Amino acid sequence: MAETAHYPLLEQYDTPEALRRLPETQLGELASELRAYLIDTVSQTGGHLAAGLGTVELTLALHYVFQTPEDRIVWDVGHQSYPHKIITGRRDRMHTLRQRHGLSGFPKRSESPFDTFGVGHSSTSISAALGMALAAKLQESERKIVAVIGDGAMTAGMAFEALNHAGDLDANLLVILNDNDMSISENVGGMSNYLAKILSGKLYSSVREGSKKVLKRMPSVWELARRAEEHVKGMVVPGTLFEELGFNYIGPIDGHDLPALISTLRNIKSLSGPQFLHVITKKGKGYAPAEDNPCEYHGVSKFDAKTGALSRGKGGTTYTQVFGQWLCDMAERDPRLIAITPAMREGSGMVDFFQRFPTRSFDVGIAEQHAVTLAAGLACEGLKPVVAIYSTFLQRAYDQFIHDVAIQNLPVLYAIDRAGLVGADGATHAGTFDYSFMRCIPNMVIMAPADENECRQMLYTGFLHSGPAAVRYPRGSGPGAAIEQAMERLPVGKADQRRQGHSIALLAFGSMLTPALIAGEQLDATVVNMRFIKPLDIDTIVALARDHSLLITIEENSVLGGAGSAVNEVLVGIENAPAIINLGLPDRFIDHGVHEQLLAECGLDAKGIVAAAHQYIAARTAPILARSINS
């Protein structure tokens, strides 16, 4: 850290074992130190801030009451888990957060035994925790299982599938809803906390269960009692839905009131069966800039901890911004355009569109499957839906991608952001498989722009296409190409040769054109911007095969089954085909780090391309040299 601050309690009590020795009266002071330390460290590394600021007290209460790591805590998504990392023995490594070989920005099983389940995508916690609860039951273990899920993650169907199953199984599972979408209103004051204590207490629980056994013998009386209980609880808590799913609903309680949290969690710990605790927190709690603008401080770059001033990137126009501007421009020209996003308005550059075209914009929440099938339904009625979605989030809607759109050959345009490696977010968010999982699907047109202007023209081309089309672009800025406001429909399946060379041909897909052009100068190689992954420009590939002795394909996608594999399939049918090298991402998950550094490690920078060519040439000439020496 740039400035050495002193955190006397946190420096002594930064593991759960030590934390549980701290008098409860001092937990508030520790919470203040933990919040200040979180702000200091994230200001110097960047990362997710606002959600973690809202879970400081909840984190302390959970580790104070439960015997972690023997008791399992499963954090959903991971945005809210930084306080958990700090308090589980990783305080002195927080300065490495999201850096190469440093701490991950998300819970990661290989990083700590306290990270019980690796996450990054939303709405997996309840399913995973239920699996752990069932395992504990089968193993006759007394360990407790807790899932902590945010209110945003509750918009996904997977969360309700898990809730429904858990209630049916009568599993010993505590689900905590961290509700930070609303402010703490009057009903979440002392009376509500008092009711939560009552509803989680042994007396209420024993009376409730005992009365069930007696009253169930008298059906009419039992039904009256059941409805009366629901009515009374429904007046003070919004828990009817969760009760119907088989959970005992408790709350809502103030998630920043440590005594109330600890008392309630202690009561719940002794209960059996599915329990649901509703906790109200404030996103950005304790840091005014984040409280005032929790969306902007959700994920931040480095910032001034004292003033809250965020550092701005020095790059030019991002691909996300190109998409956002094109979307508005196209909507003005064509009233059929409808935009859909699964909870990524800001991340996908759609804020302006939502403001300008409110009746033609739909944020469906964290529901990727629904987003794709919703688009299919709109397309059936003659509209032109555009689904803005991250590459890794599209993975979650793969069946809908095939079954609901591709089979019916519907004109849905996918604007696929965060394709390729994504730097500090790491493997859970890296879009490294979309070439592979899309190109095997009939009816698809798949494009990858090499620069900002080409991205705009490809979006236009895909929008005009009569079937499903995808434009796949990376995070951040491109090479800085001038963006033409006029829109040109590109010839589908046609590549663009950028340099004429000899012997070696570099076939670059999308973002890999920039390093390929640099390498092409050093190798005196032909360089082709392939543009289309599907359909491939077979004529160009055949011509390159005829005039060159070595082809090198370059893609920021898994080398397995990707664009290079598609070129291989073409060469199989060519007599006397040249040698080919496929450069792409290796067959492993790539951890977080600086984007350029990760590409270099994978051999996907200009230096790596040149090295691959030289290595091939050396291997080819070595036997000839050996024969010359021996003769």
Side-chain angles (χ1 to χ4, degrees), residues 74-157:
V74 181
W75 296 93
D76 208 282
V77 185
H79 299 155
Q80 55 190 339
S81 68
Y82 288 8
H84 160 82
K85 285 179 179 280
I86 295 169
I87 210 70
T88 53
R90 287 168 278 182
R91 175 181 58 83
D92 60 352
R93 295 187 62 208
M94 284 296 289
H95 68 281
T96 71
L97 187 71
R98 291 159 49 91
Q99 299 173 37
R100 194 69 175 135
H101 307 302
L103 292 180
S104 169
F106 302 97
K108 190 173 183 180
R109 280 169 53 82
S110 61
E111 187 177 289
S112 169
F114 291 94
D115 291 358
T116 60
F117 194 73
V119 296
H121 290 186
S122 168
S123 315
T124 62
S125 61
I126 304 176
S127 296
L130 177 57
M132 294 176 186
L134 293 175
K137 184 176 181 179
L138 292 169
Q139 295 163 357
E140 299 182 348
S141 169
E142 295 298 318
R143 79 173 67 97
K144 307 298 181 180
I145 314 295
V146 182
V148 185
I149 185 168
D151 52 348
M154 286 297 292
T155 63

Side-chain angles (χ1 to χ4, degrees), residues 86 109 166 177 206 215 283 337 362 372 402 519 625:
I86 295 169
R109 280 169 53 82
L177 172 60
S206 60
L215 295 177
K283 201 169 185 180
L337 186 151
F362 297 95
V372 172
I402 298 172
L625 291 173

Side-chain angles (χ1 to χ4, degrees), residues 48-65:
H48 293 101
L49 179 65
L53 289 172
T55 60
V56 167
E57 288 83 5
L58 177 60
T59 301
L60 290 175
L62 284 168
H63 286 292
Y64 197 73
V65 172

Side-chain angles (χ1 to χ4, degrees), residues 542-623:
V542 171
L544 293 171
R546 182 179 61 243
D547 299 333
H548 299 77
S549 60
L550 173 64
L551 305 186
I552 302 177
T553 64
I554 313 156
E555 61 188 300
E556 195 174 346
N557 182 85
S558 171
V559 75
L560 302 181
S565 293
V567 175
N568 296 349
E569 292 161 10
V570 174
L571 294 183
V572 166
I574 299 177
E575 188 175 354
N576 299 319
I580 186 165
I581 298 173
N582 299 136
L583 298 181
L585 299 174
D587 184 24
R588 59 181 172 83
F589 293 107
I590 298 172
D591 283 336
H592 50 282
V594 177
H595 185 222
E596 292 76 13
Q597 178 186 9
L598 298 177
L599 288 177
E601 290 181 10
C602 296
L604 293 179
D605 58 353
K607 182 179 179 181
I609 296 168
V610 172
H614 285 164
Q615 184 177 9
Y616 170 80
I617 294 169
R620 287 289 301 271
T621 59

Side-chain angles (χ1 to χ4, degrees), residues 13 42 58 139 189 225 271 286 321 412 437 488 536 539 571 622:
Y13 301 97
V42 176
L58 177 60
Q139 295 163 357
L271 302 179
Q321 291 169 335
V412 173
F437 72 65
E488 175 190 359
L536 275 176
D539 291 342
L571 294 183

Side-chain angles (χ1 to χ4, degrees), residues 68-331:
T68 56
E70 173 60 23
D71 291 336
R72 315 292 201 227
I73 301 174
V74 181
W75 296 93
D76 208 282
V77 185
H79 299 155
Q80 55 190 339
S81 68
Y82 288 8
H84 160 82
K85 285 179 179 280
I86 295 169
I87 210 70
T88 53
R90 287 168 278 182
R91 175 181 58 83
D92 60 352
R93 295 187 62 208
M94 284 296 289
H95 68 281
T96 71
L97 187 71
R98 291 159 49 91
Q99 299 173 37
R100 194 69 175 135
H101 307 302
L103 292 180
S104 169
F106 302 97
K108 190 173 183 180
R109 280 169 53 82
S110 61
E111 187 177 289
S112 169
F114 291 94
D115 291 358
T116 60
F117 194 73
V119 296
H121 290 186
S122 168
S123 315
T124 62
S125 61
I126 304 176
S127 296
L130 177 57
M132 294 176 186
L134 293 175
K137 184 176 181 179
L138 292 169
Q139 295 163 357
E140 299 182 348
S141 169
E142 295 298 318
R143 79 173 67 97
K144 307 298 181 180
I145 314 295
V146 182
V148 185
I149 185 168
D151 52 348
M154 286 297 292
T155 63
M158 184 176 178
F160 285 94
E161 291 172 13
L163 286 171
N164 185 55
H165 191 204
D168 186 58
L169 292 175
D170 198 34
N172 289 330
L173 171 67
L174 169 59
V175 175
I176 297 178
L177 172 60
N178 173 28
D179 186 348
N180 59 27
D181 188 48
M182 63 180 79
S183 61
I184 298 173
S185 55
E186 293 181 5
N187 71 320
V188 190
M191 178 59 73
S192 182
N193 289 339
Y194 176 70
L195 286 167
K197 292 177 184 179
I198 293 175
L199 296 174
S200 65
K202 290 183 178 179
L203 175 61
Y204 174 82
S205 179
S206 60
V207 170
R208 182 174 184 265
E209 295 305 313
S211 63
K212 278 184 180 181
K213 295 176 183 178
V214 175
L215 295 177
K216 277 186 176 179
R217 298 174 186 174
M218 298 177 286
S220 60
V221 178
W222 161 245
E223 180 63 18
L224 177 63
R226 185 186 68 81
R227 290 184 177 182
E229 181 194 32
E230 286 181 0
H231 179 68
V232 172
K233 293 183 73 174
M235 288 192 298
V236 292
V237 295
T240 305
L241 170 63
F242 303 107
E243 292 277 358
E244 290 295 334
L245 288 170
F247 279 75
N248 177 40
Y249 176 92
I250 299 161
I253 66 172
D254 184 347
H256 303 296
D257 185 337
L258 270 166
L261 281 171
I262 290 171
S263 176
T264 302
L265 288 172
R266 281 175 174 159
N267 284 338
I268 293 174
K269 188 177 178 180
S270 64
L271 302 179
S272 61
Q275 308 296 322
F276 192 98
L277 176 61
H278 187 173
V279 173
I280 304 294
T281 62
K282 186 173 182 61
K283 201 169 185 180
K285 173 72 173 179
Y287 188 54
E291 286 190 18
D292 295 340
N293 197 341
C295 183
E296 187 172 17
Y297 283 82
H298 169 71
V300 295
S301 56
K302 296 179 182 180
F303 64 96
D304 187 319
K306 293 181 179 178
T307 66
L310 298 171
S311 61
R312 304 297 180 181
K314 298 180 181 179
T317 303
T318 66
Y319 284 100
T320 301
Q321 291 169 335
V322 171
F323 166 71
Q325 184 60 57
W326 170 82
L327 191 66
C328 291
D329 292 347
M330 195 69 230

